[in-house]
Amino acid sequence: MEEKKDFKASAPALAMADQMLSQGPVKISEEYLSLAEEATRREHDLSLGEAVKLYPKAIGWSLLISTAIIMEAFQLILVEQFLSYPAFRETFGYQLPDGTWQLSAPWQLALVNGACVGTIIGLWINGWISDHFGYKKTMLGALMCTTLLIFIPFFANNVGMLLMGQLLMGVPWGIFQTLAVSYAAEVSPTRLRAYLTTYINMCWLIGQIIASGILQYLVRTTGGAWAFRLPFALEWAWPLPLILGILFAPESPWWLVRKNRIQDARAALRRLNSNHVDADHDVNLSVALMVVTTEQEKANGTGTTYRDCFKGVDRRRTAISCAVSSMQSLSGAGLGAYSTYFYQQAGLPTDYSFTMTVAQYGVAIVGVFCTWFLLAHLGRRTIFLVGLSKMACCLLVIGSLGILRQNRAASWTIGSLFIFYQFVLNATVASVCFSLVAEIPSTRLRNKTIVLARVAYSILSIFSNIITPYMLNPTAWDWGAKAGFFWGGLCLLSAIYTYFEVPEPKGRTYGEMDTLFHQKVSARKFSKTALLESRKPDSVSSMTSADSWLDAFKLSDSIQEHGSCVKLPVTTLAEQLPNPSESPQGNWNTRPRISTEPGDPLHAIELPSTLQVTTRVPSPCLHVRSSSRINEQR
């Protein structure tokens, strides 16, 4: 048996990597591929506890950036809540014949959706400026703009000025929505990605709870215009601490690699890692995997523009990301914004309706904690699919109860089911969608794909904000609880789409996701498709002849067949290929023709003149289609 070797890259390989890293743009070499393979194995072997221990700084910086979402949720909910304030209606509305003040329905819709329109503009802008200036500078610029724009709603004295403030403030809000997700996905290892991205849903809930608590206090203790101007003033409490913290945050190492700033990427990774014995080696591995993954995407034809999101394999990835993000609206989440009104139309008394709304926020927080428990045991796709199915059942039952004559039992049943629906929503779809949207795109197009996904969500949110009041209002469509049929049906359609189209990214590095998408693997087979790593050190003895190299194809721990396609680890092939001087010419005269699938952009490896093998960069295994001659010899 061959003596077991250490899988850590050799000193010459590390020296070569350091030399290449210092030269900026990198040419992929065997040493780099070896480092990338080891990094892939390391990502797979890293447990959750080890990841938390090794990357506490990455967790902290990600949580800091995500705090911008708490600020946005706080600001976004204010105007919606102000519509019920008498002082707000008197300042921005008109007086009715009975002496009361009211804001017209068109202006109400404009104020609620104005921020969504601004958000869409901000999302599109962010796709360009963050790619050019980086995540850190873009986030700082957006926070500074927010600080200045708060003056508009604070001093607004007419509804038009208030609408303009909402529209303009929506622009930096759109930037926060994209960068918080992208940054969390790019500073964390594979094991922590889902936890840090799903935390963003927790941020939305925290911001809404803080805003609701402050507004409830002010409406009881503060009179006049200060009841709504003071909450606007409190918005200034958020940007300055965030600016001071983000000034010291490291830039995304993935963005730095895409800009060929390799040394800066290494420096950023050192700031994200803990100071342990093998920290420099871990940094080399991580950078090698990032470089090799980026080069693979370039070789596969992945660009960096919005147009590239709709080309080739990336078209499928963009469609999935947009669909997953849209399902947050299509699953009936918009009903939550009108939950108090929904409970009232379902037959609950007004005071109990407010109590149920408060309970709804608490249940939603518990749901996010349950998400983190589920992520440790189930895949993202499974959680998402099961969540949509349960939500569809809840909404359809609510709709069925809405057909019955209103009575106390039916009303409380509807209210209880809607609370359970909110729990399932936040434990599954509302949280996991952030993880899926961040993991599905290619690394070069991640930011722009998230932009498109959030644009799709924002457009559907506007649609939901418009039709939901009509569904619930007794003077309009008067659906009441029967609205559950509409949203339940959309939930069911979303579940069907998820089953056939949404893949499972759990445990996959970004390079592996690229390979699976490029090979057009079915979404249902993502989790079952094996991408072979390098062989175990003691699994194959040294072979140099042509015949013995062909025998290497028979190794059970190194081979997996899909029809006539054989996947062989790079290091196995490199070690088993015969030396030209030793190979029997008779065998080479009957040489097999080995090639990759037609049309794949590949990098060639020069071998003996009688044999040519090509390998995709940076896959840790060769994708070899064998000829009939190989099959005969096997």
Side-chain angles (χ1 to χ4, degrees), residues 98-384:
D98 61 0
T100 60
W101 292 83
Q102 188 59 263
L103 203 63
S104 66
W107 277 113
Q108 288 186 28
L109 285 175
L111 289 174
V112 171
N113 293 315
C116 290
V117 175
T119 296
I120 293 174
I121 298 173
L123 288 166
W124 282 107
I125 293 174
N126 176 68
W128 287 299
I129 62 175
S130 62
D131 277 353
H132 184 73
F133 294 105
Y135 297 179
K136 179 178 175 179
K137 291 181 180 179
T138 303
M139 181 67 79
L140 290 172
L143 287 168
M144 293 176 185
C145 289
T146 298
T147 304
L148 297 175
L149 292 173
I150 293 173
F151 283 99
I152 299 177
F154 180 77
F155 288 107
N157 53 17
N158 61 71
V159 67
M161 186 176 178
L162 183 62
L163 176 60
M164 181 58 65
Q166 287 291 102
L167 182 65
L168 293 177
M169 289 186 68
V171 175
W173 292 350
I175 294 174
F176 300 147
Q177 290 180 24
T178 307
L179 290 187
V181 180
S182 297
Y183 192 84
E186 296 193 355
V187 300
S188 56
T190 303
R191 187 67 64 181
L192 293 177
R193 277 195 324 236
Y195 295 92
L196 293 180
T197 50
T198 54
Y199 170 74
I200 292 173
N201 186 49
M202 175 77 82
C203 293
W204 283 105
L205 296 171
I206 292 173
Q208 292 173 0
I209 291 173
I210 293 174
S212 297
I214 291 175
L215 293 176
Q216 289 297 322
Y217 173 77
L218 291 177
V219 76
R220 292 194 304 265
T221 60
T222 307
W226 281 106
F228 64 86
R229 295 200 188 277
L230 189 56
F232 282 132
L234 290 175
E235 294 180 16
W236 276 306
W238 295 96
L240 182 59
L242 285 173
I243 290 173
L244 294 177
I246 295 173
L247 277 172
F248 300 97
E251 181 57 83
S252 163
W254 281 94
W255 181 82
L256 292 170
V257 167
R258 290 193 291 270
K259 294 299 180 181
N260 289 323
R261 294 168 55 181
I262 308 301
Q263 288 287 14
D264 291 338
R266 297 184 73 207
L269 281 167
R270 285 196 183 96
R271 296 187 59 196
L272 295 169
N273 275 357
S274 61
N275 297 321
H276 59 283
V277 176
D278 291 332
D280 287 340
H281 179 65
D282 287 346
V283 167
N284 275 320
L285 295 181
S286 298
V287 170
L289 184 59
M290 292 176 185
V291 170
V292 169
T293 301
T294 302
E295 291 303 312
Q296 177 188 13
E297 292 181 355
K298 289 180 182 178
N300 289 342
T302 298
T304 58
T305 66
Y306 280 118
R307 182 178 297 177
D308 291 319
C309 292
F310 301 97
K311 292 181 179 179
V313 176
D314 292 297
R315 184 190 304 116
R316 178 189 176 192
R317 303 173 86 160
T318 301
I320 294 171
S321 297
C322 290
V324 166
S325 186
S326 299
M327 288 176 198
Q328 207 174 354
S329 285
L330 294 175
S331 59
L335 284 173
Y338 298 90
S339 56
T340 302
Y341 192 43
F342 175 78
Y343 293 132
Q344 291 172 354
Q345 298 307 310
L348 289 175
T350 301
D351 53 345
Y352 286 113
S353 297
F354 282 103
T355 302
M356 295 289 278
T357 301
V358 174
Q360 174 182 307
Y361 283 119
V363 166
I365 292 287
V366 174
V368 179
F369 281 110
C370 289
T371 303
W372 296 336
F373 172 79
L374 294 173
L375 286 171
H377 302 281
L378 301 173
R380 283 67 136 167
R381 166 188 162 90
T382 302
I383 297 172
F384 203 78

Side-chain angles (χ1 to χ4, degrees), residues 541-553 573 575-585 587-588 611 633:
S541 59
S542 179
M543 304 179 186
T544 55
S545 71
D547 289 334
S548 60
W549 174 68
L550 289 173
D551 289 339
F553 280 89
L573 180 59
E575 294 180 17
Q576 308 313 322
L577 282 176
N579 294 325
S581 60
E582 299 177 8
S583 59
Q585 292 301 318
N587 288 333
W588 287 111
L611 180 66
Q633 295 193 41

Side-chain angles (χ1 to χ4, degrees), residues 126-127 130-131 135 178-179 182 443 445-451:
N126 176 68
S130 62
D131 277 353
Y135 297 179
T178 307
L179 290 187
S182 297
T443 60
L445 287 173
R446 178 182 293 115
N447 215 25
K448 288 185 170 62
T449 304
I450 294 175
V451 165

Side-chain angles (χ1 to χ4, degrees), residues 597-634:
E597 297 183 18
D600 285 351
L602 304 163
H603 287 233
I605 294 179
E606 292 299 328
L607 294 170
S609 58
T610 51
L611 180 66
Q612 182 177 353
V613 179
T614 53
T615 178
R616 185 191 317 279
V617 176
S619 177
C621 57
L622 291 176
H623 304 264
V624 183
R625 183 171 296 280
S626 54
S627 68
S628 59
R629 180 64 180 171
I630 289 183
N631 290 329
E632 291 173 6
Q633 295 193 41
R634 292 180 56 224

